[in-house]
Amino acid sequence: MTTRTDAPTRREQILKEAARLFAERGFHGVGVDEIGAAVGISGPGLYRHFAGKDAMLAELLVGISGSLLTGAKRRLAEADGTTAPEAVLDSLIEGHIDFALDDRPLITLHDRELDRLRDTDRKLVRQLQRQYVELWVGVVRELYPELAEPAARSAVHSVFGLLNSTPHLTRPGSLPGRAGTAELLHRMARGAFAAAGSR
């Protein structure tokens, strides 16, 4: 979701500001007019792009789940069966760290607002997330073949919890800069998988 280098569209600008405001003040604490003001258009002007706040929230949460899955599939396709499992796992970790550091409002939104989605959208998010987890489980078990599938799945969820904790590290100076934080998170994730795979 953050790998594009071209200028964001107006729709993407709206989503980015909506995510920030929803994360800061909660879904019900933000009005359409405030989102519009953040991108320089009138509140009613937003309705040319979205049916309402519910549609924005759904696109944000379904969108990031889909983006993570697509990115993981791309990384596995690039490996094409010729890359060592350790390098493939490193690539998956790097991709998730990029999300965790660059899209922190979406992590907060997922934690707080997922239940506000319509059933169909919430089920879609869960379906995409399950597929994403299973891609990781396959790679982890390739690297640690003695690790049973349920344990591998638990390890993947635990690592996600670790990586997705970044929104809680918001005090100034609490993070060692982006590169340092990414390196630290990567080492911790690999350490967690190694611990799970040790017997």
Side-chain angles (χ1 to χ4, degrees):
M1 191 163 185
T2 56
T3 56
R4 289 181 43 163
T5 56
D6 52 327
T9 65
R10 176 51 61 97
R11 188 179 181 86
E12 290 168 335
Q13 291 172 342
I14 293 168
L15 286 172
K16 181 178 179 180
E17 290 305 314
R20 180 183 65 80
L21 290 167
F22 292 159
E24 287 176 0
R25 303 212 303 273
F27 180 75
H28 287 304
V30 179
V32 172
D33 289 340
E34 294 169 273
I35 298 170
V39 294
I41 61 177
S42 67
L46 287 181
Y47 293 108
R48 290 196 298 271
H49 302 277
F50 295 96
K53 289 198 310 177
D54 289 338
M56 292 179 213
L57 183 64
E59 186 157 334
L60 285 165
L61 295 182
V62 172
I64 192 55
S65 296
S67 179
L68 284 169
L69 178 59
T70 298
K73 286 181 175 178
R74 187 190 72 247
R75 289 169 184 269
L76 265 62
E78 288 169 355
D80 195 26
T82 61
T83 306
E86 185 172 359
V88 178
L89 182 58
D90 282 335
S91 180
L92 288 176
I93 292 170
E94 288 166 8
H96 199 96
I97 287 173
D98 284 343
F99 157 66
L101 293 179
D102 298 337
D103 291 308
R104 288 189 235 178
L106 292 177
I107 297 173
T108 301
L109 270 189
H110 181 275
D111 289 346
R112 291 183 188 165
E113 312 290 359
L114 182 63
D115 288 344
R116 298 194 190 283
L117 294 182
R118 294 178 307 171
D119 285 347
T120 53
D121 290 326
R122 187 168 57 252
K123 287 177 182 176
L124 178 56
V125 168
R126 293 299 192 196
Q127 178 185 8
L128 293 168
Q129 290 174 337
R130 281 193 297 272
Q131 293 177 49
Y132 182 60
V133 167
E134 293 311 307
L135 288 179
W136 280 67
V137 169
V139 173
V140 169
R141 294 196 71 213
E142 196 172 349
L143 184 57
Y144 301 104
E146 295 185 2
L147 190 61
E149 187 173 305
R153 193 170 292 110
S154 294
V156 169
H157 281 290
S158 296
V159 167
F160 288 171
L162 166 69
L163 300 180
N164 292 347
S165 67
T166 55
H168 306 293
L169 305 174
T170 54
R171 185 171 52 83
S174 62
L175 297 177
R178 193 195 187 286
T181 301
E183 194 273 336
L184 175 62
L185 289 172
H186 198 120
R187 281 192 288 113
M188 293 175 72
R190 283 302 304 271
F193 284 127
S198 66
R199 300 185 64 86

